[in-house]
Amino acid sequence: MNIAERVLKGDRLAAARAITLVESEGPDAVDLLKEIYPHTGRAHRVGITGPPGAGKSTLTAELIAFFRKQGKTVGVLAVDPTSPFSGGALLGDRIRMSDWFTDPDVFIRSMASRGGTGGLAMATQDAADILDALGKNYVFIETVGVGQEELDIVNISDTTVVVLYPEAGDRIQTMKAGLMEIADVFAVNKADREGADRLADEIKVMLSLRKDWQGWEPPVVLTQGLTGGGVDELAKAVLGHMERLKSRDMLMKRRRKGLALKIKTIVDAHVKRSLWLGEENRQEIERAAERVAARRQTPYDAAAKFIDRLRNS
Ligand SMILES: Nc1nc2c(ncn2[C@@H]2O[C@H](COP(=O)(O)OP(=O)(O)O)[C@@H](O)[C@H]2O)c(=O)[nH]1
Ligand SMILES: [Mg+2]
């Protein structure tokens, strides 16, 4: 049996190897995805994003507990440049991510960050497909919500949970705009601390100013990662969002949007690569640079001329 067949049979080791393949972006990965793809699309993909230290990993570990109690299987992809499994590593925590390492129905993997080229989002999406093919009912994707690449989470998840916490005030201010746009569900974590209610109210006020939620107003759930408080409600909000997507025929629409972006990204990368592979195009650019340096042409005219030449060739 090849790796793809083993993944489809539920072989965890094969899934781990398959994810390493997509991380390395080789042709083997393309073949593998071709084989598993008809068997994907079943898992509910849930993005968990928010600032570092908000409690994403802690809440994810709690959500795993919720879904495992229902007999569901779970995959977790942690895209965290710092320490993906630090969540709940401290004494006194109820459930830690690492507590799930030995459960055969939970698959946890951290994705290696390769310097924000967009390749990480791509590999993460492929990895989600692999866990989907492996038969996981839910795939959680944890990312740190800073910068543009991480906001890609919205394009690879069916439901996006934004985790915030009271002390993060300033940082949240700067990220608010982006995070407000992408959240399907808000978790105001560390509800045991002061300011949680106020933050939840603030979020609700901001949400009320928006009009284009298309039939889904993101719930704001107070959670306590350390005690598990509010986690049932959070899980139900996530499930409710999926229900709504399905009942309004929005699931396919949402997925198509994300997939269109992915196809474009693949085409972009291919075009870029093949464009500068040949000596001829590179030399043409060198000659153009001479003309521009001699002030006979602007860079824009040179580029337009180059594009014209490509079109006619
Ligand atoms: N006080 C308090 N601390 C929490 C809560 N949830 C998580 N933490 C702690 O916050 C820290 C960061 O949690 P972690 O899950 O690693 O955050 P992540 O970076 O968003 O994944 C850890 O020390 C957790 O134990 C909570 O509800 N209340
Ligand atoms: Mg984490």
Side-chain angles (χ1 to χ4, degrees):
M1 264 195 288
N2 65 21
I3 299 183
E5 287 163 339
R6 284 170 53 203
V7 169
L8 291 170
K9 288 231 160 17
D11 182 335
R12 297 160 59 85
L13 277 176
R17 281 187 54 195
I19 293 175
T20 304
L21 272 182
V22 300
E23 276 180 327
S24 66
E25 295 175 281
D28 288 351
V30 175
D31 290 342
L32 178 122
L33 288 168
K34 199 200 295 282
E35 267 189 76
I36 64 163
Y37 219 75
H39 308 277
T40 60
R42 285 181 284 222
H44 181 175
R45 299 169 193 213
V46 183
I48 311 270
T49 192
K56 299 180 295 297
S57 300
T58 313
L59 284 177
T60 302
E62 291 284 346
L63 287 169
I64 297 173
F66 178 93
F67 289 110
R68 289 297 296 127
K69 258 184 236 146
Q70 300 193 333
K72 303 291 187 193
T73 60
V74 182
V76 179
L77 298 170
V79 188
D80 190 336
T82 56
S83 175
F85 303 124
S86 68
L90 298 179
L91 201 70
D93 288 350
R94 230 170 63 119
I95 303 173
R96 289 163 304 185
M97 193 82 103
S98 54
D99 289 343
W100 295 111
F101 285 165
T102 51
D103 183 337
D105 288 314
V106 178
F107 185 103
I108 301 173
R109 167 77 174 234
S110 79
M111 300 293 294
S113 179
R114 282 164 312 181
T117 56
L120 182 60
M122 195 82 96
T124 304
Q125 193 172 27
D126 294 340
D129 285 328
I130 289 164
L131 297 186
D132 192 336
L134 186 66
K136 295 292 173 256
N137 301 123
Y138 295 89
V139 176
F140 291 103
I141 303 156
E142 180 188 335
T143 62
V144 179
V146 283
Q148 190 52 49
E149 168 157 8
E150 280 71 24
L151 294 182
D152 283 344
I153 190 70
V154 71
N155 297 316
I156 64 183
S157 57
D158 301 320
T159 301
T160 304
V161 177
V162 170
V163 182
L164 300 174
Y165 68 110
E167 297 88 339
D170 284 350
R171 235 173 319 169
I172 292 165
Q173 286 300 337
T174 60
M175 296 193 298
K176 243 172 205 164
L179 290 176
M180 292 307 282
E181 303 295 319
I182 65 169
D184 299 304
V185 174
F186 281 97
V188 173
N189 193 40
K190 308 198 185 184
D192 51 303
R193 298 209 182 150
E194 210 190 295
D197 288 325
R198 198 171 52 236
L199 175 58
D201 287 343
E202 263 177 51
I203 295 168
K204 284 177 196 159
V205 167
M206 279 188 289
L207 287 175
S208 69
L209 301 175
R210 291 207 40 158
K211 291 179 187 72
D212 53 339
W213 285 120
Q214 303 181 331
W216 175 258
E217 176 150 353
V220 181
V221 185
L222 287 161
T223 57
Q224 291 189 34
L226 294 185
T227 63
V231 169
D232 283 14
E233 206 191 323
L234 179 61
K236 281 170 192 154
V238 167
L239 291 172
H241 179 252
M242 183 48 113
E243 284 301 306
R244 185 62 64 92
L245 282 180
K246 282 181 176 160
S247 70
R248 296 186 135 239
D249 237 8
M250 295 286 289
L251 180 61
M252 280 306 149
K253 196 176 161 201
R254 178 170 175 142
R255 286 184 174 176
R256 273 201 302 272
K257 204 171 145 203
L259 291 170
L261 263 168
K262 172 148 182 166
I263 298 164
K264 269 197 213 158
T265 309
I266 298 167
V267 172
D268 279 353
H270 179 83
V271 168
K272 240 191 213 163
R273 248 196 333 262
S274 57
L275 200 55
W276 308 124
L277 219 57
E279 196 53 34
E280 200 186 322
N281 283 343
R282 278 211 301 266
Q283 283 173 1
E284 183 65 33
I285 292 290
E286 301 264 323
R287 283 194 291 272
E290 273 171 40
R291 293 194 299 273
V292 174
R295 308 291 140 172
R296 291 204 302 273
Q297 223 173 18
T298 69
Y300 300 95
D301 291 338
K305 191 174 172 226
F306 182 83
I307 292 164
D308 265 350
R309 212 190 102 249
L310 281 182
R311 280 219 187 91
N312 299 328
S313 65

